[in-house]
Amino acid sequence: METQVLIVGGGAIGTGLARDLALRGVQCILAEKGDINSGASGGNHGLLHSGGRYVSTDPAVARECREEGEILKKLAPHCIEDTGGLFVAIEGDEDNYVADFPHLCERCGIPVNTLDISEALELEPALSQETIAAYLVEDASIDPFKLSLENISQAQQLGTKLLGHTKVVGFKKNGNRIQVALLQDMKAGEEIIVEPEEVINACGAWAGEVAALAGVSIDILFSKGSLLVTDRRVTDRIVNRLRSPADGDILVPGGTVSILGTTSMRIDSLEKVRPTVPEVDLIVEEGAAMLPALETARYIRAYSGVRPLLEQESEDNDRSVSRGFTLLDHIQDGLENFSTISGGKLTTYRFMAEKAADLVCDRMGITNPCLTRTEPLPSTSAGMWTEPGLGPRLWIKGDGPENQPLCECEILPKSIIDSVIRSIQEQGDKPDLRSIGLRSRMGKGSCQGTFCGKRVTAHLYERGDLCADEGLTHLRSFFRERWKGERSVLWDAQLIQAELKEALYCGLSGLEL
Amino acid sequence: MGFSPPEPLLTFHDLGKTPNIRHATTTGLESAGKKQLNPTVPELIESTQARLRTIDILGKIETDPIACELAVIGNGMAGMASALFAANRGLPTVQVGAPGGIIFASGLLDLLGVHPAEERKVWQDPWAGIEALTQDFPKHPYALLERKEIEAAFNELLSFLEGENLHYQRREGQNSEMILPLGTTKQTYCVPKSMWGGIKALKERHSCLLVDFHGLSDFSATQITETLKDRWPDLRSARITFPGNDQIRELFTGELMAQAMESSENREKLAQAVRPLVGDAHSIGMPAVFGMNRTGEILAELEKQIGVPIFEIPTLPVSIPGLRLNDTIARGLTGKGVRRFSQERVLKVHREPGGDFTLDIGNKRVGKTVRAKGVILASGRFWGRGLIADRKRIREAIFDLPVHQPEGRKGWHHKDFLDLRGHPVNRAGLEIDDLFRPLDSSGDPAFERLFAAGSILAHQDWMRMKCGSGLAISSAYAAVKAFCI
Ligand SMILES: Cc1cc2nc3c(=O)[nH]c(=O)nc-3n(C[C@H](O)[C@H](O)[C@H](O)COP(=O)(O)OP(=O)(O)OC[C@H]3O[C@@H](n4cnc5c(N)ncnc54)[C@H](O)[C@@H]3O)c2cc1C
Ligand SMILES: Cc1cc2nc3c(=O)[nH]c(=O)nc-3n(C[C@H](O)[C@H](O)[C@H](O)COP(=O)(O)OP(=O)(O)OC[C@H]3O[C@@H](n4cnc5c(N)ncnc54)[C@H](O)[C@@H]3O)c2cc1C
């Protein structure tokens, strides 16, 4: 296969790049070793930062967030819930930080409103009675799955080729150029050869691994963060703790749930990254100081993502390292057609993609301007079903038995599952429980796939998408995947739920055997 | 002295899925209105409640305590079996608790299927399995039981069911291999007679047709046939429209089908739809929806009309064979004079001087009190609400008895959901003495006449060893026997 640009990595940056380049008329292949957003873009907090969080640690990033936040709210409103956000301090928090905050925001041009405590409690009754200061900012929540799916979907319509479950496993160089990229289809095992003019490494935390394949070394440290999902929405707005960024100090609502996090833990390897029991306990305890209801809330799962830290100066506190991104042209490494873009934030993904696209276009002599700053992101069916609460809203009464919900927690009738399956097929993939789960709310409700797992498997058999005992393999893999997120939150109601799941699938059905 | 369980953590309704149409319609435990999807829901609940009322005598409002010999806390398999064994021994018995795991279970009665789980060793002969198990796990509750006691427990239960017109079948001293809804199979001890044909068909691998219904998304004949294809080439599947399906809207559940099958007109239509599909099939398997009470007759009639033997296959919950088992036992117990309170739970237990117990029962508020000489605690695990867990530890909900458990939540579960060793939390529970009396923290019986039975017991993992019902039934037997000493 030949292509102008090979994009490696299908997270927010990779998919954003694909769209950016496609809009400039550049022909691309995007290779992603898993599914869309299987890295940090599928394991983050979903906070479209107003910039408030970085005003003291990194004013430049704060400004970048503010600008990009404004653009995205305008151009991709369907991926964003404009909730607004609060910064709150509680008894015992550092006075200076609290007092400086409005001033620091103003310096970065970030709109901020000081609230009386009583006003704040009226806006968000779940706030602690020990709240001593509250500011209103323009934070919003963003659906990263929808965002990436919409980006890749438009890119595909414009001619980009998506190779899902395809890993870049090697490069062949000729002098200063990468001539051939070796790819492996992770499902079928086949090798694919791509001859690109330019290669962009948009592999986030894996950027070092992929650069190494080209003989280039990048120093990257890994910082893992974990997040908890509640079964219902706890606040209307985003709530940030007004202190130096630390563990468990942000709650982000999205649709019908809220997400609490995060932590920051140095890890050595990108294998087996998952939330742990002590992390979960820490997050709950910290979160409950701001919002006491978080102590007794029902958490339906947890998940983790990894932040790549590219700067050298990363000291003991990973959060003090700049979240500004890194764009490397690798000229000094002796390569002319290889570049790496990593770090940064979801909030600034568009800007990062623009900068990386500028670099490769410049190299290829393409002068078409970036359009993502002005062109709205179209809404397509590919990203339609990721939103919590959409299924129930659209579930039409009187659909009849043929359109029964397959997933009752999130109310996903057959028709929605079929539409999700269609979009998976359009992306050149075969549907399975995991890919359906990524594109919809299936398996994400309080039952964590207990009922819909079996039903959707049955449906796939009925459609002829599964044969022989593939269904058992799919169920095992689906439950193992969900378990990564469940295991650390199993107490109280969610433990009961997990026991029911095990009673059904092991006790009754012997799926483990 | 008083003990009280905390408020229920969540309503029964909450459990599986929200909005949970099915649990509400099946059990009527929730006043359902909250998350209503369909105008027909309240009617269904009405009728289900009516059904529950017919099997439970709720009793007049009583101000004096209800006096009895034995109070059974729990309405799952262990509670039911305890109440039965007590009633058969002439003990005035009260039973309290909302329906337990039975209505979610397959209707199969497992004795022992697997041990050691790590080796995936499956036993044809459950008794040999139990012997191996108790050697490796001397604290497993089976180790406190003799084979003849377990046999006597099963015999007593099965003959009671027989008398109530619910027929079970088993092979002498052997397990039988049964087809399950995922297309897996398992070695189980007793199966409803309506399923026996499936055991025969699977054993002979004879030409067989599985039929399912449009709209019953809980059951797929194709899934089962495909999954078993390698082992059983002569298995086929077909899908038909269930008679009267066009009148049923979203709430197309097994329970509605079971009701529909009580009508001979519907059965005639079903037979008409199936007949042309028979071909060379020696038998036909269908989801277990053939009536609530007269399954034997219904199947016999259909077999006559269709011309080949028909068998039932369990479905996902709520399972009709589970409901049949639940309703049948409940009806029979009431007939034997057991005072059953299946809409109530035990809110608090007091100890009287002299060793009797007084149980406050009700929903949120105390409605009645029960005074008993002895108590059997068969309140189940987390799902049953006998055990409750916070972030730090596991507690027993009513008496706050010591619970044997792994150190800290980190140790509760393995990293792999399907880890063959089974999760350590599954073996948490109450430790008991030889007389099935829970122990206090010093290792002595907590109370002279408090006994425990069923899944709340420690050192067992019924989900992995496939011994759920067997454990419940035989430990109930032992607990009643110990009380009678
Ligand atoms: C815990 C946490 C919370 C966060 N919260 C926020 C937030 O609230 N707001 C915000 O703005 N930002 C947040 N971020 C940051 C944000 O998530 C990331 O900046 C962003 O998602 C990075 O996107 P990416 O495309 O660079 O990387 P990724 O999403 O990690 O994408 C890299 C992709 O490359 C693929 N890949 C790797 N190796 C190969 C290979 N050899 N071949 C092919 N493909 C390969 C991976 O599978 C992966 O899909 C958070 C990050 C973390 C970890
Ligand atoms: C999904 C599922 C599938 C199963 N499949 C099989 C199978 O294939 N084969 C098999 O042999 N077994 C199976 N079982 C297991 C079996 O049916 C029993 O659930 C199990 O043996 C445990 O029974 P139990 O009576 O100890 O507990 P449970 O069934 O959990 O019953 C506990 C009872 O205690 C009551 N209770 C709790 N607290 C109180 C209180 N304060 N006051 C009053 N009452 C209280 C509850 O309401 C409930 O009635 C299955 C179970 C489930 C859930």
Side-chain angles (χ1 to χ4, degrees), chain A residues 281 295 398 402 404 408-409 447 454-455 462 468 480 483 487-488 492 497 499 502 506-507 509 512, chain B residues 15-16 18-19 184 186 214-215 218 220 223 226 239 250 383 389 391 409 413-414 416 426 464 466:
Chain A
D281 285 345
E295 178 62 46
E402 282 306 307
Q404 260 207 329
E408 283 174 29
C409 297
C447 95
K454 154 79 171 88
R455 293 207 190 111
E462 297 302 333
R480 288 193 156 115
W483 186 252
R487 179 180 173 261
S488 57
D492 212 339
Q497 188 58 61
E499 192 179 70
E502 195 179 346
C506 299
S509 311
E512 80 282 17
Chain B
L15 244 197
T18 14
T184 50
K186 89 163 160 192
H214 283 289
D218 281 347
S220 162
Q223 176 175 13
E226 278 291 324
R239 176 161 284 196
E250 295 82 16
W383 194 80
R391 283 196 282 122
R409 198 166 93 247
H413 296 94
H414 290 302
D416 176 7
N426 294 350
R464 300 311 182 98
K466 325 297 168 198

Short mmCIF file of all heavy atoms in Angstrom, two decimals, chain A residues 281 295 398 402 404 408-409 447 454-455 462 468 480 483 487-488 492 497 499 502 506-507 509 512, chain B residues 15-16 18-19 184 186 214-215 218 220 223 226 239 250 383 389 391 409 413-414 416 426 464 466:
data_model
loop_
_atom_site.label_atom_id
_atom_site.label_comp_id
_atom_site.label_asym_id
_atom_site.label_seq_id
_atom_site.Cartn_x
_atom_site.Cartn_y
_atom_site.Cartn_z
N ASP A 281 -9.69 3.66 46.98
CA ASP A 281 -9.98 4.17 48.32
C ASP A 281 -9.51 5.61 48.49
O ASP A 281 -10.21 6.44 49.05
CB ASP A 281 -9.34 3.26 49.38
CG ASP A 281 -10.10 1.94 49.53
OD1 ASP A 281 -11.25 1.88 49.04
OD2 ASP A 281 -9.56 1.00 50.13
N GLU A 295 -18.82 9.50 49.46
CA GLU A 295 -18.43 8.42 50.37
C GLU A 295 -19.41 7.23 50.24
O GLU A 295 -19.01 6.08 50.29
CB GLU A 295 -18.41 8.93 51.82
CG GLU A 295 -18.07 7.89 52.88
CD GLU A 295 -16.68 7.28 52.73
OE1 GLU A 295 -15.72 8.07 52.52
OE2 GLU A 295 -16.55 6.04 52.82
N GLY A 398 -43.75 1.27 22.26
CA GLY A 398 -44.54 0.54 21.27
C GLY A 398 -43.73 0.03 20.11
O GLY A 398 -44.25 -0.18 19.03
N GLU A 402 -39.85 -7.21 18.69
CA GLU A 402 -38.67 -7.34 17.86
C GLU A 402 -37.60 -6.32 18.23
O GLU A 402 -36.45 -6.46 17.92
CB GLU A 402 -39.04 -7.16 16.38
CG GLU A 402 -39.68 -8.39 15.78
CD GLU A 402 -38.84 -9.64 15.97
OE1 GLU A 402 -37.66 -9.60 15.60
OE2 GLU A 402 -39.36 -10.62 16.51
N GLN A 404 -37.04 -5.14 21.41
CA GLN A 404 -36.82 -5.13 22.86
C GLN A 404 -35.44 -4.61 23.21
O GLN A 404 -34.49 -4.86 22.46
CB GLN A 404 -36.84 -6.58 23.33
CG GLN A 404 -38.13 -6.98 23.93
CD GLN A 404 -37.90 -8.10 24.90
OE1 GLN A 404 -37.00 -8.91 24.72
NE2 GLN A 404 -38.68 -8.13 25.94
N GLU A 408 -30.77 -3.38 29.23
CA GLU A 408 -31.85 -2.68 29.93
C GLU A 408 -31.34 -1.56 30.83
O GLU A 408 -32.08 -0.63 31.13
CB GLU A 408 -32.69 -3.67 30.74
CG GLU A 408 -33.62 -4.46 29.85
CD GLU A 408 -34.36 -5.55 30.59
OE1 GLU A 408 -34.61 -5.40 31.79
OE2 GLU A 408 -34.69 -6.55 29.94
N CYS A 409 -30.11 -1.64 31.27
CA CYS A 409 -29.57 -0.55 32.09
C CYS A 409 -29.58 0.74 31.27
O CYS A 409 -29.93 1.80 31.75
CB CYS A 409 -28.14 -0.81 32.53
SG CYS A 409 -27.93 -2.24 33.57
N CYS A 447 -25.28 -3.07 35.69
CA CYS A 447 -25.12 -4.53 35.65
C CYS A 447 -23.83 -4.94 34.96
O CYS A 447 -23.48 -6.12 34.95
CB CYS A 447 -26.34 -5.23 35.07
SG CYS A 447 -26.26 -5.60 33.32
N LYS A 454 -25.00 -11.58 27.41
CA LYS A 454 -25.61 -12.78 26.83
C LYS A 454 -26.52 -12.40 25.66
O LYS A 454 -26.51 -13.04 24.62
CB LYS A 454 -26.39 -13.52 27.92
CG LYS A 454 -27.55 -14.39 27.44
CD LYS A 454 -27.08 -15.73 26.90
CE LYS A 454 -28.23 -16.70 26.62
NZ LYS A 454 -28.80 -16.60 25.29
N ARG A 455 -27.32 -11.37 25.84
CA ARG A 455 -28.30 -11.04 24.81
C ARG A 455 -27.66 -10.56 23.52
O ARG A 455 -28.08 -10.92 22.44
CB ARG A 455 -29.23 -9.92 25.31
CG ARG A 455 -30.10 -10.38 26.44
CD ARG A 455 -31.37 -9.57 26.48
NE ARG A 455 -32.06 -9.87 27.72
CZ ARG A 455 -32.20 -9.01 28.70
NH1 ARG A 455 -31.73 -7.77 28.57
NH2 ARG A 455 -32.81 -9.34 29.80
N GLU A 462 -27.67 -14.66 15.90
CA GLU A 462 -28.85 -14.60 15.03
C GLU A 462 -28.52 -13.89 13.72
O GLU A 462 -29.03 -14.24 12.67
CB GLU A 462 -30.01 -13.86 15.73
CG GLU A 462 -30.52 -14.53 16.99
CD GLU A 462 -31.00 -15.96 16.76
OE1 GLU A 462 -31.41 -16.27 15.63
OE2 GLU A 462 -30.92 -16.76 17.71
N ALA A 468 -19.91 -21.27 15.43
CA ALA A 468 -19.31 -22.26 16.34
C ALA A 468 -19.30 -21.70 17.78
O ALA A 468 -20.25 -21.03 18.17
CB ALA A 468 -17.93 -22.65 15.87
N ARG A 480 -13.73 -10.35 31.00
CA ARG A 480 -12.40 -10.07 31.53
C ARG A 480 -12.09 -8.60 31.41
O ARG A 480 -11.54 -7.99 32.32
CB ARG A 480 -11.35 -10.88 30.76
CG ARG A 480 -11.40 -12.34 31.07
CD ARG A 480 -10.16 -13.05 30.55
NE ARG A 480 -9.95 -14.24 31.32
CZ ARG A 480 -10.03 -15.48 30.81
NH1 ARG A 480 -10.28 -15.66 29.53
NH2 ARG A 480 -9.86 -16.52 31.59
N TRP A 483 -14.09 -6.65 33.89
CA TRP A 483 -13.60 -6.95 35.24
C TRP A 483 -12.46 -6.04 35.66
O TRP A 483 -12.34 -5.67 36.83
CB TRP A 483 -13.17 -8.41 35.30
CG TRP A 483 -12.78 -8.89 36.66
CD1 TRP A 483 -11.53 -9.17 37.11
CD2 TRP A 483 -13.67 -9.16 37.75
NE1 TRP A 483 -11.58 -9.60 38.41
CE2 TRP A 483 -12.88 -9.60 38.83
CE3 TRP A 483 -15.06 -9.07 37.93
CZ2 TRP A 483 -13.42 -9.95 40.06
CZ3 TRP A 483 -15.60 -9.41 39.15
CH2 TRP A 483 -14.80 -9.84 40.21
N ARG A 487 -13.20 -4.75 39.43
CA ARG A 487 -12.58 -5.42 40.58
C ARG A 487 -12.31 -4.48 41.76
O ARG A 487 -12.52 -4.84 42.91
CB ARG A 487 -11.29 -6.09 40.13
CG ARG A 487 -10.57 -6.77 41.25
CD ARG A 487 -9.29 -7.42 40.77
NE ARG A 487 -8.57 -7.91 41.91
CZ ARG A 487 -7.55 -7.26 42.46
NH1 ARG A 487 -7.13 -6.12 41.95
NH2 ARG A 487 -6.96 -7.73 43.52
N SER A 488 -11.86 -3.27 41.46
CA SER A 488 -11.47 -2.39 42.56
C SER A 488 -12.65 -1.66 43.20
O SER A 488 -12.47 -0.97 44.20
CB SER A 488 -10.44 -1.38 42.05
OG SER A 488 -11.00 -0.66 40.96
N ASP A 492 -20.43 -3.25 48.77
CA ASP A 492 -21.79 -2.78 48.77
C ASP A 492 -22.57 -3.26 47.54
O ASP A 492 -22.44 -4.40 47.14
CB ASP A 492 -21.74 -1.24 48.82
CG ASP A 492 -22.94 -0.67 49.57
OD1 ASP A 492 -23.93 -1.38 49.69
OD2 ASP A 492 -22.86 0.47 50.04
N GLN A 497 -23.90 -7.08 42.68
CA GLN A 497 -24.03 -7.21 41.24
C GLN A 497 -23.02 -8.19 40.67
O GLN A 497 -23.34 -9.05 39.85
CB GLN A 497 -23.84 -5.83 40.61
CG GLN A 497 -24.15 -5.78 39.15
CD GLN A 497 -25.57 -6.21 38.88
OE1 GLN A 497 -26.50 -5.60 39.36
NE2 GLN A 497 -25.74 -7.30 38.17
N GLU A 499 -21.59 -10.58 42.21
CA GLU A 499 -21.90 -11.94 42.63
C GLU A 499 -22.99 -12.55 41.75
O GLU A 499 -22.92 -13.72 41.37
CB GLU A 499 -22.34 -11.96 44.10
CG GLU A 499 -22.39 -13.36 44.66
CD GLU A 499 -22.80 -13.39 46.13
OE1 GLU A 499 -23.98 -13.11 46.43
OE2 GLU A 499 -21.94 -13.67 46.97
N GLU A 502 -21.40 -13.61 38.54
CA GLU A 502 -20.64 -14.85 38.66
C GLU A 502 -21.58 -16.04 38.85
O GLU A 502 -21.32 -17.13 38.33
CB GLU A 502 -19.64 -14.74 39.82
CG GLU A 502 -18.59 -15.84 39.74
CD GLU A 502 -17.55 -15.77 40.86
OE1 GLU A 502 -17.47 -14.75 41.55
OE2 GLU A 502 -16.83 -16.77 41.02
N CYS A 506 -20.71 -18.36 35.94
CA CYS A 506 -19.91 -19.47 36.45
C CYS A 506 -20.81 -20.50 37.12
O CYS A 506 -20.84 -21.65 36.73
CB CYS A 506 -18.84 -18.97 37.41
SG CYS A 506 -17.69 -17.82 36.64
N GLY A 507 -21.59 -20.06 38.12
CA GLY A 507 -22.43 -20.99 38.88
C GLY A 507 -23.38 -21.75 37.99
O GLY A 507 -23.43 -22.98 38.01
N SER A 509 -23.60 -21.43 34.42
CA SER A 509 -23.20 -21.75 33.04
C SER A 509 -21.81 -22.35 32.88
O SER A 509 -21.49 -22.84 31.79
CB SER A 509 -23.27 -20.48 32.18
OG SER A 509 -24.51 -19.83 32.36
N GLU A 512 -16.24 -20.44 32.98
CA GLU A 512 -14.81 -20.44 33.29
C GLU A 512 -14.15 -21.76 32.90
O GLU A 512 -12.93 -21.83 32.81
CB GLU A 512 -14.59 -20.15 34.79
CG GLU A 512 -14.79 -21.34 35.75
CD GLU A 512 -16.26 -21.67 36.06
OE1 GLU A 512 -17.15 -21.22 35.31
OE2 GLU A 512 -16.51 -22.41 37.03
N LEU B 15 -31.51 -4.58 41.40
CA LEU B 15 -30.43 -5.50 41.23
C LEU B 15 -29.83 -5.70 39.88
O LEU B 15 -28.70 -5.35 39.62
CB LEU B 15 -30.92 -6.84 41.69
CG LEU B 15 -30.12 -7.25 42.85
CD1 LEU B 15 -30.29 -8.69 43.04
CD2 LEU B 15 -28.68 -6.85 42.64
N GLY B 16 -30.58 -6.30 39.02
CA GLY B 16 -29.96 -6.67 37.78
C GLY B 16 -29.67 -5.45 36.97
O GLY B 16 -28.54 -5.14 36.64
N THR B 18 -31.37 -1.53 35.58
CA THR B 18 -32.36 -0.48 35.71
C THR B 18 -32.68 -0.02 34.32
O THR B 18 -31.76 0.11 33.55
CB THR B 18 -31.78 0.72 36.47
OG1 THR B 18 -30.40 0.57 36.50
CG2 THR B 18 -32.42 0.97 37.76
N PRO B 19 -33.84 0.30 33.98
CA PRO B 19 -35.06 0.02 34.71
C PRO B 19 -35.43 -1.44 34.53
O PRO B 19 -35.42 -1.96 33.43
CB PRO B 19 -36.08 0.91 34.01
CG PRO B 19 -35.50 1.23 32.69
CD PRO B 19 -34.03 0.91 32.71
N THR B 184 -23.09 -23.99 26.72
CA THR B 184 -22.22 -24.82 27.54
C THR B 184 -23.09 -25.94 28.11
O THR B 184 -24.31 -25.95 27.93
CB THR B 184 -21.61 -24.02 28.70
OG1 THR B 184 -22.68 -23.34 29.37
CG2 THR B 184 -20.62 -22.99 28.19
N LYS B 186 -23.47 -28.75 31.69
CA LYS B 186 -22.89 -29.04 33.01
C LYS B 186 -23.40 -30.32 33.61
O LYS B 186 -24.49 -30.80 33.28
CB LYS B 186 -23.07 -27.86 33.95
CG LYS B 186 -24.32 -27.81 34.77
CD LYS B 186 -24.10 -26.82 35.91
CE LYS B 186 -25.37 -26.31 36.51
NZ LYS B 186 -25.14 -25.18 37.39
N HIS B 214 -39.24 -15.48 18.31
CA HIS B 214 -38.98 -14.07 18.02
C HIS B 214 -39.28 -13.24 19.25
O HIS B 214 -40.33 -13.42 19.87
CB HIS B 214 -39.90 -13.58 16.89
CG HIS B 214 -39.46 -14.04 15.54
ND1 HIS B 214 -38.35 -13.54 14.93
CD2 HIS B 214 -39.99 -14.94 14.69
CE1 HIS B 214 -38.21 -14.11 13.75
NE2 HIS B 214 -39.19 -14.98 13.57
N GLY B 215 -38.37 -12.37 19.60
CA GLY B 215 -38.67 -11.42 20.68
C GLY B 215 -38.24 -11.87 22.06
O GLY B 215 -38.18 -11.08 22.98
N ASP B 218 -33.68 -13.39 25.53
CA ASP B 218 -32.89 -14.11 26.52
C ASP B 218 -32.49 -15.50 26.06
O ASP B 218 -31.76 -16.19 26.77
CB ASP B 218 -33.68 -14.24 27.82
CG ASP B 218 -33.63 -12.95 28.61
OD1 ASP B 218 -32.81 -12.10 28.27
OD2 ASP B 218 -34.43 -12.81 29.55
N SER B 220 -31.40 -18.02 22.68
CA SER B 220 -31.13 -18.19 21.26
C SER B 220 -30.78 -19.63 20.94
O SER B 220 -29.75 -20.15 21.37
CB SER B 220 -29.96 -17.27 20.85
OG SER B 220 -29.43 -17.71 19.61
N GLN B 223 -27.55 -19.86 19.00
CA GLN B 223 -26.35 -19.78 19.82
C GLN B 223 -26.00 -21.15 20.40
O GLN B 223 -24.84 -21.57 20.38
CB GLN B 223 -26.59 -18.77 20.96
CG GLN B 223 -25.42 -18.69 21.94
CD GLN B 223 -25.62 -17.60 22.99
OE1 GLN B 223 -26.72 -17.06 23.15
NE2 GLN B 223 -24.56 -17.27 23.69
N GLU B 226 -24.95 -23.61 17.47
CA GLU B 226 -23.61 -23.29 16.95
C GLU B 226 -22.53 -23.70 17.95
O GLU B 226 -21.52 -24.28 17.59
CB GLU B 226 -23.51 -21.78 16.67
CG GLU B 226 -24.09 -21.34 15.34
CD GLU B 226 -23.28 -21.83 14.15
OE1 GLU B 226 -22.05 -21.88 14.27
OE2 GLU B 226 -23.89 -22.18 13.12
N ARG B 239 -36.47 -20.64 14.41
CA ARG B 239 -37.12 -19.59 15.20
C ARG B 239 -38.54 -19.40 14.70
O ARG B 239 -38.77 -19.32 13.50
CB ARG B 239 -36.32 -18.29 15.05
CG ARG B 239 -36.94 -17.10 15.74
CD ARG B 239 -35.93 -16.00 15.97
NE ARG B 239 -35.06 -16.34 17.10
CZ ARG B 239 -34.29 -15.46 17.74
NH1 ARG B 239 -34.27 -14.20 17.36
NH2 ARG B 239 -33.53 -15.83 18.75
N GLU B 250 -43.46 -4.47 24.64
CA GLU B 250 -42.05 -4.60 25.02
C GLU B 250 -41.80 -5.70 26.05
O GLU B 250 -40.75 -6.29 26.09
CB GLU B 250 -41.52 -3.29 25.62
CG GLU B 250 -41.49 -2.15 24.63
CD GLU B 250 -42.84 -1.50 24.50
OE1 GLU B 250 -43.70 -1.73 25.37
OE2 GLU B 250 -43.06 -0.78 23.52
N TRP B 383 -25.69 -11.32 47.58
CA TRP B 383 -26.88 -11.20 46.76
C TRP B 383 -28.14 -11.40 47.59
O TRP B 383 -29.14 -10.73 47.40
CB TRP B 383 -26.80 -12.22 45.62
CG TRP B 383 -27.79 -11.92 44.57
CD1 TRP B 383 -27.69 -10.99 43.59
CD2 TRP B 383 -29.07 -12.53 44.44
NE1 TRP B 383 -28.83 -10.99 42.84
CE2 TRP B 383 -29.68 -11.91 43.34
CE3 TRP B 383 -29.74 -13.53 45.15
CZ2 TRP B 383 -30.96 -12.26 42.91
CZ3 TRP B 383 -31.01 -13.88 44.72
CH2 TRP B 383 -31.61 -13.26 43.62
N ALA B 389 -20.97 -5.78 52.63
CA ALA B 389 -19.58 -5.35 52.59
C ALA B 389 -19.51 -3.85 52.42
O ALA B 389 -20.25 -3.26 51.64
CB ALA B 389 -18.87 -6.02 51.43
N ARG B 391 -16.23 -0.72 52.17
CA ARG B 391 -14.92 -0.72 51.51
C ARG B 391 -13.87 -1.51 52.28
O ARG B 391 -12.86 -1.92 51.76
CB ARG B 391 -14.42 0.72 51.30
CG ARG B 391 -15.12 1.41 50.15
CD ARG B 391 -14.34 2.64 49.73
NE ARG B 391 -14.58 3.76 50.63
CZ ARG B 391 -13.62 4.39 51.31
NH1 ARG B 391 -12.35 4.04 51.16
NH2 ARG B 391 -13.91 5.39 52.10
N ARG B 409 -9.87 -5.54 51.23
CA ARG B 409 -10.58 -5.69 49.96
C ARG B 409 -9.65 -6.12 48.83
O ARG B 409 -10.08 -6.76 47.88
CB ARG B 409 -11.27 -4.36 49.61
CG ARG B 409 -12.35 -4.52 48.58
CD ARG B 409 -13.22 -3.29 48.50
NE ARG B 409 -12.76 -2.35 47.50
CZ ARG B 409 -12.27 -1.16 47.74
NH1 ARG B 409 -12.18 -0.73 48.98
NH2 ARG B 409 -11.87 -0.38 46.77
N HIS B 413 -10.82 -10.36 45.49
CA HIS B 413 -10.99 -10.89 44.14
C HIS B 413 -9.66 -11.02 43.41
O HIS B 413 -8.77 -10.19 43.58
CB HIS B 413 -11.89 -9.96 43.32
CG HIS B 413 -13.28 -9.85 43.83
ND1 HIS B 413 -13.69 -8.85 44.69
CD2 HIS B 413 -14.37 -10.63 43.62
CE1 HIS B 413 -14.97 -9.03 44.99
NE2 HIS B 413 -15.41 -10.09 44.35
N HIS B 414 -9.58 -12.04 42.57
CA HIS B 414 -8.42 -12.18 41.70
C HIS B 414 -8.48 -11.15 40.58
O HIS B 414 -9.53 -10.55 40.32
CB HIS B 414 -8.39 -13.58 41.07
CG HIS B 414 -8.09 -14.67 42.06
ND1 HIS B 414 -6.93 -14.69 42.81
CD2 HIS B 414 -8.79 -15.76 42.43
CE1 HIS B 414 -6.95 -15.76 43.60
NE2 HIS B 414 -8.07 -16.42 43.39
N ASP B 416 -8.27 -11.76 37.43
CA ASP B 416 -9.03 -12.27 36.30
C ASP B 416 -10.40 -12.73 36.81
O ASP B 416 -10.47 -13.54 37.74
CB ASP B 416 -8.26 -13.44 35.68
CG ASP B 416 -9.03 -14.12 34.55
OD1 ASP B 416 -10.10 -13.60 34.16
OD2 ASP B 416 -8.56 -15.17 34.08
N ASN B 426 -15.41 -15.52 47.75
CA ASN B 426 -16.48 -16.52 47.66
C ASN B 426 -16.44 -17.52 48.82
O ASN B 426 -17.43 -18.20 49.08
CB ASN B 426 -16.39 -17.30 46.35
CG ASN B 426 -16.67 -16.41 45.16
OD1 ASN B 426 -17.10 -15.28 45.32
ND2 ASN B 426 -16.41 -16.92 43.97
N ARG B 464 -18.18 -22.07 41.79
CA ARG B 464 -17.13 -22.74 41.04
C ARG B 464 -17.22 -24.26 41.14
O ARG B 464 -16.82 -24.98 40.25
CB ARG B 464 -15.76 -22.26 41.50
CG ARG B 464 -15.54 -20.76 41.32
CD ARG B 464 -15.92 -20.33 39.91
NE ARG B 464 -15.68 -18.92 39.69
CZ ARG B 464 -14.59 -18.42 39.10
NH1 ARG B 464 -13.67 -19.22 38.66
NH2 ARG B 464 -14.47 -17.12 38.93
N LYS B 466 -20.01 -25.91 41.65
CA LYS B 466 -21.35 -26.33 41.21
C LYS B 466 -22.00 -27.23 42.27
O LYS B 466 -22.20 -28.44 42.07
CB LYS B 466 -21.32 -27.06 39.85
CG LYS B 466 -20.28 -26.56 38.84
CD LYS B 466 -20.47 -25.14 38.38
CE LYS B 466 -19.21 -24.70 37.63
NZ LYS B 466 -19.08 -23.26 37.49
#
